[in-house]
Amino acid sequence: MLYFALRRFASALLVMFAISVLVFLIFFATPGVDPAARIAGRNADPATLAQVRHSFGLDRPMPIRYLLMMRHLLVDRDLESFVNRGSRVIPQIVQATPVTLSLVIGAALIWMTAGILMGTAAATFRGKAADPLIMLVGVVGVSLPAYWLGEVVNLVTQKQLHDSVFSWVPPPGYVGLSHPGQWALHLLFPWLTLALLYAGIYARLLRGEVVTALNEDYVRTARAKGLSERRILVRHALRCSLIPIVSLFGLDFGALVGGAALLTEVVFGLPGIGKLTFDALQNLDLPVIMGTVLYAAFFVVLANALVDILYARLDPRARHA
């Protein structure tokens, strides 16, 4: 098991290296892309462009530029923004990370709880009226785009009904964990908005897994032994059905922490990784974009590695795949 884990993490490092090279080539070696022109500003004369290229090492061979970029980004941590001079990339990412983690962890707790309850209830009442009703709620949640739902929530809580029903709702923004009450209050509706999308997906997936498990031979054997339906559902069917759910959760969590919650952060004014990436794209700030892309790739690759190790732990056959 230890050998498998080491091998999986070694392959994850190779994937990260490949991603860093690819991102660098896209942002700094694509024909027509001239970072020096972006730094120097519009209408810069050739002498100024040459000086900027020399100052930032943009006139050196491509492999040297890549190594310098990675050193400044990952080792020295002094890589600066091309737009906001003096603003370093790593501190910006470090400052934005707690916001994204707060959003994703809170939403994940809600959608996992709701998804498991909805999926289990739908499987329990399969063939009855409650089953399609629960699945309909899940489909509605999946069908509502996060940016649209967020705008509707802001419209209702901040304007239409703010003075009467939602006067307790603070304006969009983020408050740190040093004020736990305000922290949770500012994140309540972002949590619900993000969780609504994923709860429906997890409920539908879990329902199918539980229904399949209830028809397996080991469940029939449990029934023949006289075990109650509740114990069969919780101890046998649900327990085995959670394996693909845990796998999907790892991938979704990694992607969201990496910045996939961009739309929710932008709509609710949360200065997280997604918002930082969005602002960098608006300004074409290449160092910040590169830093956030590598940050996102790190969490996605790490989540994939942990999911594979978990599978190998649960199923020894996967260790030889």
Side-chain angles (χ1 to χ4, degrees), residues 133-153:
L133 183 61
I134 295 173
M135 288 298 97
L136 178 62
V137 174
V139 170
V140 171
V142 173
S143 304
L144 297 177
Y147 65 88
W148 178 84
L149 182 61
E151 290 290 356
V152 171
V153 169

Side-chain angles (χ1 to χ4, degrees), residues 16 97 101 250 253-255 257-258 294-304:
M16 283 300 303
T97 299
L101 286 175
F253 187 84
V257 171
L294 291 179
Y295 164 91
F298 168 78
F299 276 100
V300 173
V301 171
L302 178 63
N304 274 276

Side-chain angles (χ1 to χ4, degrees), residues 237-262:
L238 182 59
R239 186 176 180 180
C240 295
S241 300
L242 286 177
I243 295 178
I245 296 296
V246 171
S247 174
L248 180 62
F249 173 78
L251 300 179
D252 285 339
F253 187 84
L256 287 172
V257 171
L262 183 151

Side-chain angles (χ1 to χ4, degrees), residues 5 40 78 80-81 93 107 121 133 136 155 176 206 240 263 276-277 320:
D78 58 356
E80 295 185 354
S81 165
I93 295 177
L133 183 61
L136 178 62
L155 178 64
L206 183 61
C240 295
L263 295 177
L276 178 63
T277 306
H320 307 289

